[in-house]
Amino acid sequence: MGTQDSDERARGTGRRALLGAAVLGAGAVLGAAGTARAADARHAGGGLKSLPVPTVIGHRGASGYRPEHTFGSYQLALDLGADIIEAGDLVPTKDGHLVCRHEPEIGGTTDVSAHPEFADRKTTKTLDGVATTGWFTEDFTLAELKTLRAIERIPANRPHNTLYDGRWEIPTFEEVLQWQDEQTRRRGKQVWIYPETKHPTYFRALGLGLEERVATLLRKYGKDKKNSPVILQSFEPSSIQRLNKLLGNPLVVLLSSANTRPWDFVTAGDPRTVADLVTPKGLEWIASYAQGIGPTLDLVIPKDASGNLTTPTTLVADAHDAGLILHPYTMRNENPFLPANFRKGTDPTAYGDAFGAFKTYFETGIDGVFSDNADTALMARAAFVNG
């Protein structure tokens, strides 16, 4: 580790001191939800700068406790104290509405297979180069999708979440924007959301461009400005570039594993991989049209062949040098989703040492993290900033 790493550690120490002082000065008390009023001198002000650091982002809501991308999940994440709610992953319907689903294929996240009237909609499509079989949102009208109900996506790891199967319908993005305003009024505090454009190249080829639909709705609700409480994200840089021309919102490029290529790069013949994008040159290019990156946690701290964490990369320092924030994904409490050295036993439904993992990632200087368990993340942040 060289001088840059030493500087980053020093920056992290200074941040902890600032954050700890802010928490103690505010008289924050840790309760069951583990809330803490973290703050950072360089993040004082409006817009992105008003968010606590490290920012806790409720991944698809509180998906560790409720079926993801439902108002039950979003509401619980707010109640637990998440700073931002990832509401939602945006995919279109046949009649052009935007709805919140993890993927356009909804066989694993809704009860569509139990609806005989939709049996003939099951099909196989090529989604970003991968043959995928199931039911797809673009083959349903909004009215038809509203007859379905959400179910737990990973019941093998979260059998307790299946208790809530069938309780909620699929939300539209417009309903999310209305819910955001309602919750902001009720709580007397600005509620933030963090929607993602899903498979934008795929949908544009179908005549269902996502970015224009997102822009239309954000303008309608007056949430299209630099300081608006809506951060937009995508795994496809061209989608973020398009949004940058349409809106003033803060923008984030999501980054998968180093050896992968964004699908829009594949279709455009761009040879660059994610490994190229996380170099100083690549980060400078991203910073020309976006304010942040959302890297997989493995780009921040790689794992060895056994799944144990190794030495942090220079990504945090390099991104900060380029003026970008980092919101890596995704922290989950269950054993299979944690680095091997933070697991406790082999039960796929049991929690490992999530607090230890959070501490290790926070120490790299990341600006926030997506988590399925906002309460755990908030308690871990409080311990970190006061440590």
Side-chain angles (χ1 to χ4, degrees):
M1 295 185 181
T3 304
Q4 188 176 48
D5 182 72
S6 299
D7 291 343
E8 188 59 24
R9 286 201 303 269
R11 186 193 324 210
T13 302
R15 171 179 291 166
R16 287 194 296 276
L18 284 168
L19 294 175
V23 171
L24 292 172
V29 178
L30 296 181
T35 56
R37 295 293 181 188
D40 186 323
R42 69 182 181 87
H43 282 255
L48 278 177
K49 295 180 180 180
S50 69
L51 292 168
V53 178
T55 307
V56 171
I57 304 152
H59 186 237
R60 306 172 198 162
S63 52
Y65 310 114
R66 300 288 187 272
E68 64 190 30
H69 285 314
T70 60
F71 279 117
S73 184
Y74 299 159
Q75 189 73 35
L76 181 57
L78 269 189
D79 291 343
L80 293 175
D83 303 309
I84 311 178
I85 311 301
E86 189 192 28
D89 293 333
L90 303 180
V91 292
T93 66
K94 184 178 182 179
D95 47 349
H97 296 276
L98 293 177
V99 296
C100 303
R101 288 292 85 193
H102 173 48
E103 290 289 339
E105 198 291 298
I106 56 174
T109 61
T110 73
D111 62 357
V112 65
S113 64
H115 286 252
E117 68 272 25
F118 298 136
D120 62 350
R121 306 281 178 96
K122 188 175 184 179
T123 187
T124 298
K125 300 189 180 190
T126 300
L127 185 62
D128 291 4
V130 178
T132 305
T133 299
W135 292 263
F136 295 80
T137 59
E138 67 268 23
D139 295 331
F140 292 77
T141 65
L142 178 59
E144 289 172 333
L145 284 181
K146 283 294 189 180
T147 68
L148 307 180
R149 293 296 180 267
I151 63 172
E152 172 55 37
R153 184 177 63 88
I154 47 175
N157 302 108
R158 293 170 176 169
H160 51 281
N161 281 13
T162 63
L163 172 66
Y164 304 100
D165 285 356
R167 303 288 295 184
W168 294 285
E169 63 182 30
I170 298 173
T172 68
F173 185 43
E174 183 159 21
E175 288 169 345
V176 164
L177 294 173
Q178 294 167 347
W179 169 84
Q180 179 187 22
D181 288 341
E182 177 190 8
Q183 291 300 312
T184 296
R185 288 192 297 269
R186 284 187 179 184
R187 296 167 187 267
K189 173 186 174 182
Q190 181 61 61
V191 169
W192 281 71
I193 60 171
Y194 210 137
E196 175 187 345
T197 56
K198 299 290 290 193
H199 306 288
T201 296
Y202 168 81
F203 284 118
R204 186 161 293 276
L206 297 178
L208 291 167
L210 300 179
E211 295 82 6
E212 294 82 2
R213 287 172 167 80
V214 170
T216 296
L217 285 171
L218 290 180
R219 291 190 196 109
K220 177 179 178 180
Y221 288 88
K223 300 177 183 181
D224 58 333
K225 306 297 191 297
K226 176 182 177 181
N227 288 336
S228 295
V230 181
I231 305 172
L232 300 170
Q233 57 180 332
S234 182
F235 279 101
E236 296 188 20
S238 64
S239 182
I240 296 301
Q241 290 174 313
R242 184 172 277 111
L243 287 167
N244 185 46
K245 294 178 180 178
L246 293 170
L247 299 162
N249 297 70
L251 305 171
V252 169
V253 174
L254 296 169
L255 300 168
S256 190
S257 55
N259 62 348
T260 63
R261 291 166 67 197
W263 185 246
D264 55 338
F265 283 18
V266 174
T267 60
D270 188 327
R272 288 178 296 172
T273 66
V274 169
D276 296 309
L277 297 184
V278 296
T279 63
K281 180 179 179 181
L283 293 168
E284 183 179 356
W285 176 72
I286 291 174
S288 69
Y289 58 87
Q291 287 68 52
I293 57 173
T296 176
L297 286 164
D298 287 348
L299 292 174
V300 178
I301 310 180
K303 299 186 183 80
D304 62 21
S306 299
N308 297 301
L309 292 185
T310 61
T311 302
T313 67
T314 62
L315 179 58
V316 173
D318 292 342
H320 285 165
D321 286 344
L324 295 166
I325 60 170
L326 296 90
H327 290 160
Y329 66 93
T330 302
M331 276 295 297
R332 298 178 169 100
N333 286 359
E334 294 91 356
N335 276 316
F337 307 115
L338 290 168
N341 45 323
F342 292 98
R343 296 173 189 163
K344 294 183 178 180
T346 58
D347 183 348
T349 70
Y351 286 0
D353 180 16
F355 288 113
F358 271 114
K359 180 176 183 291
T360 302
Y361 287 119
F362 284 156
E363 285 174 343
T364 66
I366 59 175
D367 299 283
V369 68
F370 287 81
S371 175
D372 287 9
N373 309 85
D375 51 343
T376 308
L378 287 159
M379 292 184 74
R381 179 176 74 186
F384 173 70
V385 302
N386 286 305

